[in-house]
Amino acid sequence: MILIAAAALVFLAFFGMPLYAVFAGAALLGYTVADVNFAAITVEIYRMVDTPLLLALPMFTFSGYLLSESRASHRLVELTQAMVGSVRGGLAVVAFVSCALFTAFTGACGVTIVALGALLLPAMLQQRYPEKFTLGLITTSGSLGLLLPPSLPLILYGIISQQMGVGEPFTLTQLFMAGLLPALLMIVVLSAWSLFTLRHEPLPTQPFSFVRLRKAIWDAKWELPMPIVVLACIYGGWLAVSEVAALVAFYLLIVEVFIYREVSVRTLPKVIKESMTMVGGLLLILALSMAFTNTLIDAEVPAHLFAWIQKYVHDRWTFLLLLNIFLLILGSIVEIFPALVIVVPLILPIAVSFGVHPVHLGIIFLANMQIGYFMPPVGMSLFIASYRFKKPILLLFKSTLPFMLVLLLAVLIITYVPWLSLWML
Amino acid sequence: MNALHRLIKTLHWLEDAVLVVIFISLMGLAFAQIGMRNFFNGGWLWADTALRVLVLWIAMWGASVAARHGHHIRIELAPHYLPKSWQRFNTILCDLACALISSVVAYYSTVFVIDEYTNGGIAFASIPVWVCELIIPVSLIILAFRFSAQTLVTIFHTEEILE
């Protein structure tokens, strides 16, 4: 009976029942097996109140939606272009850097391709960058920056793993630090590869203009200090992450609505509503998935899973390789948020048993998921780019292939050189 | 039909307004608390708990508004491969199951909150715990209602009622 119900839930999940209901159903099944009163599920939802960190989620999400509603993307592209546009092939580097920064703040929900891609694609085509190369570059950049603070998936991983309390405890700040070098590595490899590919292309270069740079800096003067202040506050330990999030949200509200006046007071409720429905959906899933996970832990499922895997996998390196393959496949069929809440609770105890640091696991997880964004069949970036640029998905997929291989290399380095993620621990 | 339409519109407007109000209180209180703590060496004792309760409120209320716009996260791997005629049946099945599960959770959380009302404690300041928890059954009842309505609408082809 229980098995039939469980099978029905899995079936419904794949056929599109909202995920929160899948987890609620799964938790109720777990309670039935363990003979626990169903009222426990309310206690689990109310446990949201025990996590002060959660405040960061609505605040950063709101900031991201606000930024994508404004013309911040224009200023960012203009600024990076003024800085490195004079280098041959510099526009490719501009694209990687500005997309990574933008994604870090908007949380990789596809806005980057819409907001920045729409600026970068025509600019690059006009400078006679090859079309296929450009399409691939922009589709790839849509998820670049996932590892940079304060990206939502990074925060979400921190919350989930902290609630589980498995392995060495760590702070969100340490997780934020951990993402820096791997993200930088990705940008560097991608840029190096792009410049190498473009070496024979007849690309025009613009002379470096100090006046242009000064104007770009001046235009962005209100937003420019923000990443620096965020990093300084968090890494300097002056404010908690959730406080920084609230501060950024409040500051951006003032800047975009009253100083730049690009978001009107009338559209503000729309921005609030869009960002908060997203947060609500996410947090409800998070709470219910934790309820389900706890029933799994009570039933010692992760321990059994570990024992089973240990029969076939004996060392950490083989485990990590298999993990990479598993995560790549996962990333190509499930989007990042569901993947995080479904898989992290199961995989974290196993990875810790194999001696993988929870922070390193988080970075590996997200680095793989980042590639999943442009892997068929469900890679979100492919669909968004296809929709936005009116190009067939297959063409976009083919054009991202070389970038994907370069990123795979970076992911392997990130996986097998834990120092990149753990140097400051 | 027209009066019903207007009633639904007003309710939706109210619902959005509540979401905006919760958000603004959340951001305002968080900002004020940072100021109090860092510049006046104070900070209200109750504010930290209040903030966390407000996060719960915005999450639950946001989740029930999300259902109105079909914004709930789904995996949806299989429906792409279903023939058109099956897709409608699939939607009905998923919405119905979702409504059922939400109703069960709504029922048990209502019972739980009533229980807390009779013998619960104080959350912060003089606000009892059950008031903070109240949002859980309320949102789940709305969710259950929305997905039930959605099921009926798909069955009877009356999409225009829900805008």
Side-chain angles (χ1 to χ4, degrees):
Chain A
M1 184 58 205
I2 294 288
L3 279 179
I4 296 174
L9 270 181
V10 174
F11 174 85
L12 283 166
F14 280 113
F15 277 84
M17 180 163 79
L19 217 50
Y20 85 85
V22 175
F23 282 118
L28 293 180
L29 275 186
Y31 293 152
T32 314
V33 174
D35 205 16
V36 172
N37 190 317
F38 280 4
I41 205 164
T42 322
V43 182
E44 290 280 358
I45 299 177
Y46 194 66
R47 269 188 31 187
M48 261 193 232
V49 172
D50 297 336
T51 318
L53 202 60
L54 279 187
L55 175 62
L57 226 48
M59 291 298 128
F60 277 134
T61 310
F62 172 71
S63 305
Y65 274 76
L66 202 57
L67 272 180
S68 42
E69 196 78 12
S70 75
R71 287 174 58 87
S73 48
H74 289 249
R75 288 187 285 272
L76 184 60
V77 171
E78 173 59 22
L79 180 67
T80 31
Q81 211 173 343
M83 273 151 86
V84 289
S86 57
V87 183
R88 226 176 137 277
L91 207 48
V93 183
V94 168
F96 290 131
V97 173
S98 51
C99 284
L101 282 176
F102 199 71
T103 303
F105 273 90
T106 54
C109 42
V111 212
T112 306
I113 292 181
V114 177
L116 284 171
L119 298 173
L120 290 164
L121 186 75
M124 291 179 75
L125 292 182
Q126 194 200 351
Q127 294 201 8
R128 277 175 267 138
Y129 279 75
E131 189 186 23
K132 201 174 151 199
F133 171 88
T134 311
L135 282 171
L137 182 143
I138 288 178
T139 314
T140 313
S141 306
S143 56
L144 197 63
L146 216 60
L147 293 174
L148 284 177
S151 94
L152 288 186
L154 203 56
I155 299 179
L156 198 61
Y157 176 82
I159 291 172
I160 297 174
S161 52
Q162 281 188 356
Q163 284 206 348
M164 297 201 48
V166 188
E168 270 178 72
F170 61 93
T171 63
L172 200 57
T173 310
Q174 288 171 322
L175 188 62
F176 278 1
M177 300 271 259
L180 289 181
L181 284 188
L184 195 67
L185 173 77
M186 287 183 173
I187 296 174
V188 169
V189 224
L190 282 173
S191 303
W193 185 82
S194 300
L195 293 179
F196 177 75
T197 325
L198 293 168
R199 70 195 182 284
H200 297 308
E201 295 289 334
L203 301 172
T205 51
Q206 309 160 316
F208 177 78
S209 153
F210 186 71
V211 179
R212 187 182 175 195
L213 179 61
R214 204 175 51 191
K215 185 176 180 304
I217 292 178
W218 185 248
D219 284 345
K221 64 179 177 298
W222 293 105
E223 288 151 340
L224 208 52
M226 205 178 49
I228 303 158
V229 170
V230 168
L231 293 183
C233 281
I234 294 176
Y235 297 145
W238 296 319
L239 290 175
V241 172
S242 53
E243 290 181 317
V244 175
L247 216 55
V248 166
F250 196 83
Y251 176 77
L252 274 180
L253 179 73
I254 304 286
V255 167
E256 306 298 348
V257 177
F258 298 106
I259 297 178
Y260 284 123
R261 292 167 186 264
E262 287 165 353
V263 181
S264 70
V265 178
R266 292 180 65 90
T267 51
L268 214 50
K270 192 193 84 170
V271 178
I272 292 177
K273 185 173 153 188
E274 276 175 4
S275 51
M276 289 310 111
T277 48
M278 139 114 191
V279 167
L282 201 57
L283 282 181
L284 185 58
I285 292 177
L286 183 66
L288 291 167
S289 78
M290 291 317 281
F292 169 58
T293 307
N294 284 338
T295 67
L296 284 187
I297 292 174
D298 287 343
E300 293 181 342
V301 172
H304 289 303
L305 208 56
F306 176 59
W308 181 75
I309 290 177
Q310 225 180 4
K311 267 194 269 178
Y312 306 96
V313 183
H314 303 291
D315 63 310
R316 174 152 62 134
W317 305 113
T318 322
F319 170 74
L320 283 176
L321 185 68
L322 291 174
L323 182 69
N324 273 331
I325 297 171
F326 169 72
L327 290 177
L328 281 173
I329 297 172
L330 181 77
S332 71
I333 53 174
V334 183
E335 278 174 24
I336 190 157
F337 290 124
L340 272 167
V341 286
I342 298 171
V343 176
V344 170
L346 286 175
I347 252 182
L348 184 65
I350 299 170
V352 167
S353 309
F354 273 108
V356 180
H357 195 285
V359 167
H360 189 207
L361 178 72
I363 302 299
I364 297 175
F365 195 98
L366 295 182
N368 279 291
M369 284 293 131
Q370 186 189 322
I371 298 181
Y373 265 81
F374 42 90
M375 287 243 275
V378 302
M380 185 165 57
S381 292
L382 287 177
F383 286 96
I384 293 174
S386 158
Y387 177 77
R388 188 69 186 74
F389 305 129
K390 312 262 182 303
K391 299 282 177 205
I393 295 219
L394 198 62
L395 170 76
L396 286 166
F397 171 60
K398 277 187 197 151
S399 60
T400 52
L401 259 181
F403 295 95
M404 186 191 289
L405 292 177
V406 174
L407 271 181
L408 269 178
L409 179 74
V411 167
L412 284 180
I413 298 175
I414 292 167
T415 308
Y416 291 104
V417 188
W419 177 86
L420 278 174
S421 321
L422 303 174
W423 56 276
M424 75 303 154
L425 282 181
Chain B
M1 199 61 183
N2 216 345
L4 177 68
H5 209 111
R6 216 172 304 144
L7 177 71
I8 291 177
K9 269 218 135 103
T10 316
L11 282 177
H12 286 176
W13 184 87
L14 264 175
E15 201 184 8
D16 292 351
V18 171
L19 189 69
V20 171
V21 168
I22 302 177
F23 178 79
I24 291 176
S25 337
L26 181 66
M27 192 167 63
L29 185 60
F31 187 70
Q33 176 75 345
I34 297 170
M36 289 296 282
R37 185 172 297 145
N38 291 287
F39 298 108
F40 300 99
N41 290 323
W44 303 293
L45 275 178
W46 54 269
D48 281 329
T49 321
L51 275 176
R52 285 180 271 151
V53 171
L54 277 174
V55 172
L56 172 78
W57 277 61
I58 199 114
M60 295 308 293
W61 199 254
S64 54
V65 178
R68 193 169 94 213
H69 300 279
H71 279 178
H72 271 283
I73 300 176
R74 307 157 185 258
I75 297 186
E76 271 188 313
L77 197 57
H80 295 296
Y81 305 103
L82 283 179
K84 262 264 176 316
S85 51
W86 283 49
Q87 279 184 3
R88 193 167 146 262
F89 173 71
N90 181 51
T91 313
I92 293 172
L93 184 70
C94 287
D95 285 348
L96 188 65
C98 184
L100 263 172
I101 295 174
S102 306
S103 311
V104 174
V105 181
Y107 171 76
Y108 280 94
S109 55
T110 310
V111 173
F112 177 82
V113 172
I114 292 174
D115 202 40
E116 290 271 287
Y117 171 72
T118 42
N119 50 27
I122 297 293
F124 61 91
S126 55
I127 297 181
V129 175
W130 72 268
V131 174
C132 306
E133 292 166 339
L134 195 59
I135 191 75
I136 300 174
V138 169
S139 290
L140 279 157
I141 290 170
I142 298 177
L143 280 169
F145 174 76
R146 284 233 150 97
F147 281 101
S148 315
Q150 193 60 50
T151 314
L152 293 177
V153 161
T154 323
I155 292 176
F156 296 109
H157 285 294
T158 47
E159 279 83 355
E160 69 275 12
I161 290 184
L162 300 175
E163 289 181 326

